[in-house]
Amino acid sequence: LCSSPSNRSRPLSRVAVSGGTHGNEMSGIYLAKHWLRNPMELRRGSFAVTPFLGNPRAIEKCVRYVGRDLNRTFTTEFLSSAEAEDKPYEVVRAREINQTYGPKGSAQAFDFMFDLHNTTANMGACLIVDSEESLLPMHMCHYIQTHYTRSPCPIYLYKLLGEETYSINSVAKAGLALELGPQPQQVVRADLFTQMRDLMACALDFIELFNKGTVFPAFEIEAYKITGRMDYPRYPDGEISAMVHPKLQVGVDWK
């Protein structure tokens, strides 16, 4: 059960969207580049969206990351650690993003940030929120599920109990990630590109309604919540020693 969002007197005016947080997930990269050339598509009457490329070096090499996963680098450990020349590029980039769109947890941070991803998993159009306690993103998910009818949009809550948020959109006051699949890495599927673009338009329509004072009542909603993480079995030297069973692998990994 999600209650109505609070702070109705505070419209969202500073909104950002990241494409290419992972440099081989192409839908968000191509969309961000499109919006950088055509920003009017992201404008609404009460706000505009700032698009940016999350990990330019990884995008240039068309790899997930060059040093470490950027989308696991927005914790206090990395954002506040001492400067050093041998820091991975993604740590430096995380600090740049935090300085531009944060600082994380501050009153100066952007009001909302979208983060665009693809996956090879058969999870369709997935809406990713840190937890059910994030009321505004949960209401946005409910609005998308109600108004976007092309496909189901399951909700995934990624944060474990007591865990610090670590994703790129955690530098803003609130955020939502879109993860669409299945799509091979380093490939653009036109249908998923269009679907991601339409989902973003629907999400921006929600913000416009929110800014205009629309009342969003409480609701009940189904969401998938992480309960733990399990690594592959490994040999003593760290090499993976097993694989996903065929009954779980072929087209049913999100069923």
Side-chain angles (χ1 to χ4, degrees):
L1 176 65
C2 288
S3 59
S4 297
S6 58
N7 295 333
R8 301 296 302 150
S9 62
R10 299 179 62 181
L12 308 182
S13 60
R14 303 171 73 214
V15 180
V17 55
S18 170
T21 302
H22 294 141
N24 57 2
E25 299 175 8
M26 307 307 293
S27 296
I29 294 170
Y30 273 68
L31 272 174
K33 289 181 175 180
H34 166 71
W35 289 327
L36 286 166
R37 296 186 180 96
N38 303 278
M40 290 300 296
E41 186 174 314
L42 295 175
R43 290 188 178 275
R44 295 295 187 273
S46 62
F47 71 100
V49 182
T50 302
F52 70 99
L53 296 173
N55 194 333
R57 290 191 186 178
I59 293 170
E60 183 179 358
K61 296 178 180 294
C62 206
V63 295
R64 182 178 175 91
Y65 56 83
V66 296
R68 60 164 284 116
D69 193 331
L70 177 63
N71 214 32
R72 305 295 186 273
T73 310
F74 292 88
T75 61
T76 303
E77 175 187 358
F78 295 107
L79 297 178
S80 62
S81 60
E83 297 288 342
E85 292 184 0
D86 61 348
K87 290 286 186 185
Y89 165 72
E90 280 80 8
V91 174
V92 177
R93 181 60 179 152
R95 290 174 174 172
E96 293 173 351
I97 292 169
N98 186 54
Q99 183 177 10
T100 302
Y101 302 101
K104 182 177 180 178
S106 73
Q108 294 75 38
F110 265 54
D111 296 313
F112 204 95
M113 183 182 291
F114 295 95
D115 186 24
L116 307 181
H117 289 269
N118 292 118
T119 176
T120 58
N122 186 36
M123 58 198 300
C126 188
L127 311 175
I128 302 179
V129 182
D130 57 355
S131 78
E132 65 272 26
E133 296 176 359
S134 298
L135 290 182
L136 185 63
M138 290 299 291
H139 274 266
M140 180 180 288
C141 290
H142 184 246
Y143 180 87
I144 292 172
Q145 287 187 339
T146 303
H147 291 81
Y148 183 81
T149 58
R150 177 177 169 182
S151 69
C153 299
I155 301 168
Y156 170 51
L157 308 176
Y158 78 83
K159 190 169 76 73
L160 289 170
L161 182 66
E163 183 179 50
E164 182 184 0
T165 53
Y166 53 74
S167 62
I168 188 171
N169 55 21
S170 69
V171 305
K173 294 185 179 74
L176 175 70
L178 307 180
E179 184 151 20
L180 275 63
Q183 176 171 283
Q185 297 171 353
Q186 305 178 341
V187 171
V188 182
R189 278 182 51 174
D191 56 342
L192 294 188
F193 174 93
T194 301
Q195 190 174 10
M196 184 176 282
R197 189 179 184 180
D198 292 345
L199 285 166
M200 275 295 301
C202 187
L204 298 186
D205 290 344
F206 168 84
I207 295 178
E208 178 72 359
L209 291 172
F210 178 85
N211 286 351
K212 289 181 176 179
T214 301
V215 175
F216 297 99
F219 61 91
E220 291 186 356
I221 198 168
E222 181 181 72
Y224 297 85
K225 186 173 183 178
I226 186 170
T227 58
R229 299 187 179 96
M230 180 179 295
D231 193 12
Y232 285 96
R234 295 179 182 270
Y235 294 112
D237 63 0
E239 184 177 352
I240 292 175
S241 62
M243 63 190 72
V244 177
H245 194 279
K247 289 184 178 180
L248 298 175
Q249 181 67 52
V250 183
V252 294
D253 45 334
W254 184 250
K255 299 292 185 185

